[in-house]
């Protein structure tokens, strides 16, 4: 295995674990309930890491659960805070916004 292949697998593994953590239906359901209890009608899953996780298995499973529970959702662009000395090529990534 080449170093680049190993690095790709490590990055994929970290992203998969992170997606499984933040897109867990039980966790999302509890967060939705907490926001609804406060009077809000939407919940945004705010990611600490700026990755496009919309194509992960965890995100797709959450979308199925949201459809079953008749929630509305959309993947909205979130802009990355630019670091002036090291500008990023990518300027945005999608985050999931759920409404009811």
């Amino acid at each position: 295995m080449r170093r680049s292949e190993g690095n790709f697998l490590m990055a994929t593994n970290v992203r998969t674990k992170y997606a499984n953590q933040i897109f867990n239906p039980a966790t999302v359901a509890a967060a939705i309930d907490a926001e609804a209890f406060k009077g809000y009608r939407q919940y945004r899953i705010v990611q600490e890491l700026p990755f496009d996780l919309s194509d992960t298995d965890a995100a797709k499973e959450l979308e199925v659960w949201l459809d079953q529970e008749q929630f509305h959702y959309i993947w909205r662009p979130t802009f990355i805070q630019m670091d002036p000395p090291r500008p990023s090529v990518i300027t945005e990534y999608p985050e999931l916004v759920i409404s009811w």
Side-chain angles (χ1 to χ4, degrees), residues 16 19-26 28-29 45 53-71 73 75 96 98:
T16 300
N20 290 339
Q21 176 188 353
I22 65 172
F23 296 135
N24 181 314
V28 172
I45 298 178
L53 302 175
S54 60
D55 285 335
T56 62
D57 291 338
K60 291 176 184 175
E61 289 173 16
L62 179 60
E63 288 178 350
V64 168
W65 179 82
L66 291 168
D67 288 335
Q68 289 173 348
E69 298 296 322
Q70 299 181 344
F71 285 103
Y73 60 90
W75 290 93
L96 188 62
I98 304 163

Side-chain angles (χ1 to χ4, degrees), residues 37-94:
F37 183 74
K38 295 176 192 173
Y40 295 109
R41 296 192 58 206
Q42 83 173 24
Y43 171 66
R44 184 178 193 130
I45 298 178
V46 178
Q47 297 177 204
E48 294 177 17
L49 305 172
F51 302 141
D52 179 358
L53 302 175
S54 60
D55 285 335
T56 62
D57 291 338
K60 291 176 184 175
E61 289 173 16
L62 179 60
E63 288 178 350
V64 168
W65 179 82
L66 291 168
D67 288 335
Q68 289 173 348
E69 298 296 322
Q70 299 181 344
F71 285 103
H72 303 280
Y73 60 90
I74 187 169
W75 290 93
R76 291 234 170 117
T78 300
F79 295 96
I80 296 174
Q81 295 290 336
M82 301 300 285
D83 183 12
R86 302 173 75 170
S88 174
V89 176
I90 302 170
T91 58
E92 64 182 47
Y93 62 96

